[in-house]
């Protein structure tokens, strides 16, 4: 990812997603801030005072050699379309469904705007649109370009990516490709390269996963994401004990 934001633009254009207010955050070159009801793709800029790998310092280092102490990383974040989706489990109206292509889709004509899905998402992806935006009150997130996939097309973000950092395909093929990429990067000196695709938690893996440098917290990703409904049993037990 080179941080060009082409995926953000393509997502908004194809899905007719409204603007976010054009607010300048002051955080690097990020003007969208985070995922939300009107930001289905968010290019994250991560600036860290550490080396990205075994690079040789450039000409601005006044003749010094060694590792560059600064790295600038980009990550195009999106809804993870979890294998076990908290938003889907929490929806009381059946507005959120699992499609035949494996994505998690919000049917806006069924959504009643209760907001249960918003608090049930372990990644803080889904949200409601405030007034005066179009369709205010309902919950919105990435659709995985379900309409395009039904027609045999690639999602808009992957289609437009100029460096092919966003790769679309079968999960097994993508995981094999990602693991090989991690191996190559580690052999090249990027010891902290890893695949963010948690299977050991209650989300049981992601349908949109990421190859990252360093720890997931630096990208706003929880290291151990959990579907909130796993705590229902202990919560009801505690409530019953309190009542007694």
């Amino acid at each position: 990812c080179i941080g060009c934001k082409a995926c953000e633009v393509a997502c908004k254009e194809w899905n007719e997603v409204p603007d976010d207010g054009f607010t300048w955050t002051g955080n690097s070159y990020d003007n969208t801030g985070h995922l939300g009801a009107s930001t289905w793709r968010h290019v994250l800029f991560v600036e860290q005072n550490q080396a990205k790998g075994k690079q040789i310092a450039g000409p601005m280092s006044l003749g010094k050699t060694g590792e560059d102490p600064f790295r600038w990383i980009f990550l195009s974040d999106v809804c993870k379309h979890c294998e076990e989706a908290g938003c889907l489990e929490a929806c009381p109206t059946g507005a959120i469904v699992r499609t035949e292509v494996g994505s998690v889709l919000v049917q806006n004509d069924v959504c009643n705007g209760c907001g249960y899905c918003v608090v049930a998402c372990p990644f803080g992806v889904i949200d409601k649109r405030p007034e005066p935006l179009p369709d205010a009150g309902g919950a919105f997130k990435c659709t995985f370009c379900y309409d395009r996939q039904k027609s045999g097309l690639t999602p808009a973000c992957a289609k437009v990516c100029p460096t092919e950092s966003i790769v679309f395909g079968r999960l097994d093929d993508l995981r094999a490709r990602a693991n090989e990429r991690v191996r190559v990067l580690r052999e090249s000196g990027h010891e902290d390269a890893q695949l963010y695709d948690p299977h050991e938690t209650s989300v049981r893996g992601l349908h949109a996963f990421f190859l990252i440098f360093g720890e997931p917290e630096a990208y706003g990703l929880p290291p151990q994401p959990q579907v909130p409904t796993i705590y229902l049993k202990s919560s009801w037990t505690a409530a019953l004990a309190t009542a007694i």
Side-chain angles (χ1 to χ4, degrees):
C1 180
I2 58 175
C4 69
K5 290 181 175 281
C7 54
E8 283 193 15
V9 176
C11 177
K12 282 186 174 291
E13 286 186 342
W14 180 264
N15 296 291
E16 299 182 346
V17 180
D19 69 75
D20 322 85
F22 301 102
T23 302
W24 182 250
T25 65
N27 180 20
S28 187
Y29 291 94
D30 186 358
N31 66 328
T32 44
H34 53 80
L35 293 171
S38 298
T39 302
W40 297 358
R41 266 280 174 184
H42 171 230
V43 178
L44 180 69
F45 290 71
V46 180
E47 302 177 22
Q48 297 177 320
N49 292 323
Q50 64 185 92
K52 188 175 182 180
K54 295 180 179 179
Q55 302 118 321
I56 301 300
M60 296 299 291
S61 60
L62 301 178
K64 297 180 181 179
T65 59
E67 291 187 346
D68 189 345
F70 177 80
R71 69 181 183 183
W72 203 15
I73 304 174
F74 313 107
L75 181 138
S76 182
D77 199 8
V78 70
C79 172
K80 317 308 182 283
H81 297 277
C82 309
E83 187 67 30
E84 293 293 337
C87 59
L88 190 154
E89 291 187 5
C91 182
T93 64
I96 304 178
V97 296
R98 176 80 63 182
T99 70
E100 69 274 16
V101 298
S103 60
V104 178
L105 178 70
V106 181
Q107 301 174 102
N108 300 115
D109 58 333
V110 183
C111 177
N112 66 357
C114 67
Y116 290 177
C117 56
V118 176
V119 296
C121 175
F123 299 98
V125 168
I126 194 167
D127 203 358
K128 296 169 63 178
R129 286 179 185 165
E131 297 286 354
L133 291 177
D135 301 313
F140 293 87
K141 71 171 190 67
C142 163
T143 65
F144 217 175
C145 282
Y146 179 55
D147 53 343
R148 290 177 62 89
Q149 288 201 57
K150 285 194 299 182
S151 300
L153 300 174
T154 299
C157 55
K159 178 69 175 179
V160 77
C161 181
T163 62
E164 296 185 356
S165 68
I166 301 174
V167 185
F168 175 76
R170 294 182 60 85
L171 283 173
D172 292 342
D173 296 338
L174 292 179
R175 288 192 175 108
R177 178 174 175 175
N179 287 323
E180 174 62 17
R181 177 70 173 163
V182 169
R183 184 190 65 79
V184 171
L185 286 170
R186 288 180 176 175
E187 290 180 354
S188 302
H190 300 276
E191 291 86 359
D192 59 350
Q194 63 170 305
L195 186 63
Y196 182 77
D197 184 21
H199 282 80
E200 68 281 0
T201 71
S202 55
V203 300
R204 293 181 51 219
L206 312 178
H207 286 220
F209 45 88
F210 310 89
L211 196 162
I212 61 175
F213 291 125
E215 299 303 317
E217 293 92 333
Y219 305 87
L221 300 170
Q224 295 291 324
Q226 300 287 1
V227 178
T229 50
I230 67 170
Y231 303 108
L232 282 177
K233 182 178 179 180
S234 58
S235 298
W236 280 110
T237 301
L240 180 60
T242 301
I244 292 175

